[in-house]
Amino acid sequence: MCNRLHNISNLIEMKQKILKIHPLDNVLVALDNLGNGERIKFEDHTLHLKQSVKAKHKFASNDLNEGDAIMMYGGVVGQANRFIGKGEVLTTKNVRHKADIFGKRTPHLDGETPDISNFTGRTFLGYHRSDGQVGTANYWVVIPLVFCENRNIGVMKDAFLEELGFARPNKYKRYVRELVTRYQSKDTRNDSFALPEEQIHTSPVFEQINGIKFLTHDGGCGGIRQDSEALCALIAGYLNNPNVAGGTILSLGCQNAQIPILEDKLNALNPHFDKPLHILEQQKEGTEEDLLVKAIRLTFQGLTEVNKVKREPAPLEKLTLGLECGGSDGFSGISANPAVGHASDVLVALGGKTMLAEFPELCGVEQELINRCTNDTIADKFTVLMETYSNAAVAVGSGFDMNPSPGNIKDGLITDAMKSAGAAKKGGTSPITDVLDYAEYANKPGLNLLCTPGNDVESTTALAGSGANIILFTTGLGTPTGNPIAPVIKISSNTDLAQRMPDLIDVDAGDVITGEKSIEQMGEELMEYIIDVASGKIKTKAQQLGQDDFIPWKRGISL
């Protein structure tokens, strides 16, 4: 019996209308819209559909009694609320959340090693740092230690971006200008008009710098001390990320997130940290003008220094991939996620690092992951983190079972365990070499598990803070999420999404659903795209749109 986190199938047969993912499953996935009364040939018998089934949704392959387990990906993903007849659609009304229980580790480290012949000896062009890390980009970051400094960060942003050529042209300004002109001239037309095509500027001043990223947040003071500690650890991770060349930190002075805490976190993370870093405290500098003039001058001096670094070849093992999904649909766990999982396995086999995040979306597959841990210590750490997180959610009247969003449910993911079973496919089949709590940094080659919420931006923010220099983001519904320092590659689970939202999607994995490509082929195609993005040859759609989302996780309950 194949591992339920392994590839679903090498190839989905062309024009196939349904899919049984695992031999133990008692539900089928509709790969296309199916009509009420339609007869579907399945294995050695014919199914008579009792109602229409939308593509991405599931229906029973045999009669299910109340209390029966719903099986998908070879594991429990729900429980029947009532009798469900063969051919009946699964919904939130007839199925409730249920997941497998988990316990001690039973080693299972025999995942198949992928063919890496197409990537052995390959390189990407990256920015080499003195600590041995290699960046896929070269950014300067400006970050406040407390929300009180957000306005000053905004003033610096306005001062720098346009003057250095990093400002993004805003075609919508012309649109508003035209509307104003019509209004002032008493033109009552309501017709629309084409937006102008505008190109993103490259920096004419600093050719080797990809941009200055001005990050703001609402933390640093007023919450629990644990949140301020975590914020400082996260900021330290951003400064240490190989895509960051240097940074400017603004502090007010009286907040919980004190400068010494940040310095301690950074020193613990990298005792030999030597990037240019300027930390200023407003209550010591004097007037706001004194603070800003000094911060701008020091930042400009830093930019002149890091502009000397150029891209040079680096082995693929220097890549650290963050693995993320958001706006998932019923095809995500069949196409995009397994393709990402294959790319992850390839990179791990080459000696690189990958990180699978979103712990609420690992509910129900815990035992499989525990068994893949390389030792009991990291397996136990994963168990403690999962149980602590789950119990905290229950304590405030929530729970992992509330994780699926309305969009998830509408497009076929009706329980958290069902969503999680597909989400975990992003981790492929590689052994798990480390488990990281929030804001811990990935240092061990191989597949790492990183404790984050399922919230897209909180999770991608954490992945970059733990060292990801590229993030792979799968989606079935489409989401405008990006990250300030780590290029985010969006992979669609279906071709309709890629065609409907081409401004958001980088890679279309819909060919897996139609049977035109295998999961392995899609994974290798994704690897080629990763290399081009890492080398600066391709800007991701998120980069082109300037999607620089940054939300630190306050350790309260966020799913």
Side-chain angles (χ1 to χ4, degrees):
M1 181 176 66
C2 63
N3 186 319
R4 75 189 230 212
L5 294 181
H6 187 43
N7 290 337
I8 298 161
S9 61
N10 290 331
L11 190 66
I12 296 176
E13 185 181 351
M14 286 289 289
K15 298 183 179 178
Q16 184 175 328
K17 289 187 174 182
I18 62 172
L19 175 67
K20 184 177 183 179
I21 296 174
H22 190 280
L24 294 179
D25 293 357
N26 54 18
V27 299
L28 301 173
V29 183
L31 300 180
D32 203 349
N33 291 330
L34 306 175
N36 183 14
E38 188 169 346
R39 295 182 179 275
I40 304 294
K41 290 185 178 180
F42 168 64
E43 294 178 345
D44 58 351
H45 60 282
T46 299
L47 277 172
H48 184 199
L49 296 183
K50 299 184 177 182
Q51 57 198 127
S52 60
V53 185
K54 292 182 180 179
K56 308 179 186 180
H57 286 259
K58 291 83 185 170
F59 59 96
S61 60
N62 53 267
D63 289 342
L64 298 169
N65 293 312
E66 182 178 353
D68 283 353
I70 307 297
M71 303 292 293
M72 192 173 170
Y73 297 97
V76 178
V77 297
Q79 187 176 45
N81 270 337
R82 59 167 176 77
F83 174 79
I84 302 173
K86 180 170 63 175
E88 186 176 348
V89 179
L90 272 59
T91 70
T92 55
K93 293 183 179 180
N94 59 24
V95 174
R96 63 175 174 268
H97 171 79
K98 182 177 175 62
D100 280 330
I101 60 174
F102 57 96
K104 290 295 183 180
R105 170 175 172 260
T106 302
H108 183 84
L109 305 175
D110 57 351
E112 295 180 13
T113 301
D115 179 5
I116 58 173
S117 57
N118 290 336
F119 301 98
T120 302
R122 296 277 298 276
T123 61
F124 70 98
L125 295 175
Y127 295 95
H128 292 247
R129 308 302 180 190
S130 63
D131 59 5
Q133 295 188 95
V134 180
T136 63
N138 200 37
Y139 291 116
W140 187 279
V141 295
V142 183
I143 312 176
L145 274 182
V146 62
F147 61 83
C148 307
E149 292 298 321
N150 283 347
R151 179 185 174 278
N152 289 329
I153 298 293
V155 172
M156 291 183 66
K157 181 177 181 179
D158 290 341
F160 268 109
L161 294 190
E162 188 170 346
E163 296 302 321
L164 297 185
F166 290 122
R168 292 178 45 79
N170 189 341
K171 60 186 177 183
Y172 300 103
K173 285 186 177 181
R174 291 191 186 182
Y175 185 76
V176 173
R177 191 178 307 136
E178 176 65 21
L179 293 174
V180 170
T181 300
R182 289 187 179 190
Y183 172 75
Q184 292 177 335
S185 64
K186 302 188 184 306
D187 186 340
T188 58
R189 286 179 297 165
N190 290 318
D191 58 302
S192 185
F193 45 90
L195 292 172
E197 291 295 329
E198 295 183 284
Q199 301 297 318
I200 299 174
H201 291 299
T202 55
S203 171
V205 179
F206 299 116
E207 296 291 343
Q208 296 302 322
I209 298 175
N210 299 117
I212 312 175
K213 299 298 183 177
F214 297 86
L215 312 184
T216 57
H217 56 81
D218 63 357
C221 199
I224 60 175
R225 297 302 172 94
Q226 182 188 24
D227 286 337
S228 293
E229 290 267 349
L231 175 64
C232 288
L234 179 72
I235 294 174
Y238 268 65
L239 294 170
N240 195 60
N241 188 293
N243 290 0
V244 171
T248 302
I249 305 296
L250 297 188
S251 168
L252 177 60
C254 56
Q255 73 276 354
N256 288 339
Q258 286 286 299
I259 292 174
I261 298 176
L262 173 64
E263 292 173 333
D264 288 344
K265 298 291 185 183
L266 190 55
N267 183 63
L269 188 60
N270 187 349
H272 306 292
F273 181 88
D274 62 356
K275 297 175 184 178
L277 175 62
H278 306 294
I279 304 176
L280 295 91
E281 188 169 295
Q282 184 170 5
Q283 290 171 345
K284 289 184 178 179
E285 295 297 334
T287 67
E288 181 179 282
E289 182 176 307
D290 291 336
L291 170 74
L292 289 171
V293 167
K294 185 175 181 179
I296 290 171
R297 174 171 50 81
L298 291 175
T299 299
F300 190 87
Q301 291 174 355
L303 292 169
T304 64
E305 182 179 344
V306 301
N307 189 51
K308 299 172 185 177
V309 183
K310 296 183 179 181
R311 289 186 183 270
E312 296 179 359
L316 297 185
E317 68 185 53
K318 293 295 184 178
L319 291 174
T320 300
L321 299 180
L323 312 176
E324 177 77 15
C325 59
S328 298
D329 70 350
F331 284 165
S332 292
I334 301 173
S335 58
N337 290 351
V340 165
H342 184 71
S344 173
D345 286 341
V346 168
L347 184 62
V348 166
L350 292 167
K353 296 188 288 290
T354 64
M355 286 185 283
L356 179 63
E358 303 178 288
F359 272 27
E361 297 182 11
L362 300 179
C363 175
V365 294
E366 294 98 336
Q367 192 62 54
E368 293 285 346
L369 296 173
I370 287 168
N371 294 344
R372 286 167 58 189
C373 290
T374 53
N375 60 58
D376 289 339
T377 300
I378 61 173
D380 292 344
K381 183 176 181 180
F382 174 64
T383 297
V384 169
L385 287 172
M386 283 294 288
E387 290 179 340
T388 301
Y389 197 162
S390 177
N391 292 338
V394 171
V396 294
S398 187
F400 288 172
D401 60 305
M402 300 177 69
N403 182 261
S405 70
N408 295 149
I409 294 169
K410 180 181 178 181
D411 268 46
L413 298 177
I414 61 173
T415 71
D416 185 57
M418 184 182 293
K419 181 179 180 181
S420 296
K425 306 289 284 182
K426 300 190 301 294
T429 64
S430 299
I432 295 165
T433 56
D434 206 358
V435 172
L436 309 171
D437 199 356
Y438 181 75
E440 287 188 318
Y441 207 81
N443 291 309
K444 293 182 182 179
L447 174 64
N448 296 253
L449 302 182
L450 174 63
C451 183
T452 76
N455 177 289
D456 299 347
V457 178
E458 288 177 329
S459 186
T460 52
T461 296
L463 284 165
S466 290
N469 53 15
I470 283 184
I471 295 173
L472 305 183
F473 191 115
T474 66
T475 182
L477 305 176
T479 175
T481 301
N483 183 265
I485 64 170
V488 175
I489 299 174
K490 297 276 184 57
I491 306 104
S492 67
S493 70
N494 62 90
T495 299
D496 177 68
L497 170 62
Q499 293 175 344
R500 189 173 67 256
M501 304 179 79
D503 58 329
L504 297 183
I505 301 301
D506 298 289
V507 178
D508 175 18
D511 286 348
V512 174
I513 299 298
T514 62
E516 296 173 58
K517 292 177 183 175
S518 68
I519 288 168
E520 290 79 7
Q521 289 171 331
M522 197 70 245
E524 290 207 2
E525 182 178 309
L526 180 56
M527 276 297 300
E528 295 290 351
Y529 198 90
I530 290 168
I531 293 170
D532 283 344
V533 169
S535 300
K537 296 179 181 179
I538 294 176
K539 279 192 173 183
T540 68
K541 299 298 177 63
Q543 288 176 301
Q544 293 174 35
L545 291 172
Q547 293 167 342
D548 292 340
D549 301 312
F550 179 80
I551 303 180
W553 180 25
K554 292 182 178 180
R555 207 55 182 260
I557 299 308
S558 177
L559 297 177

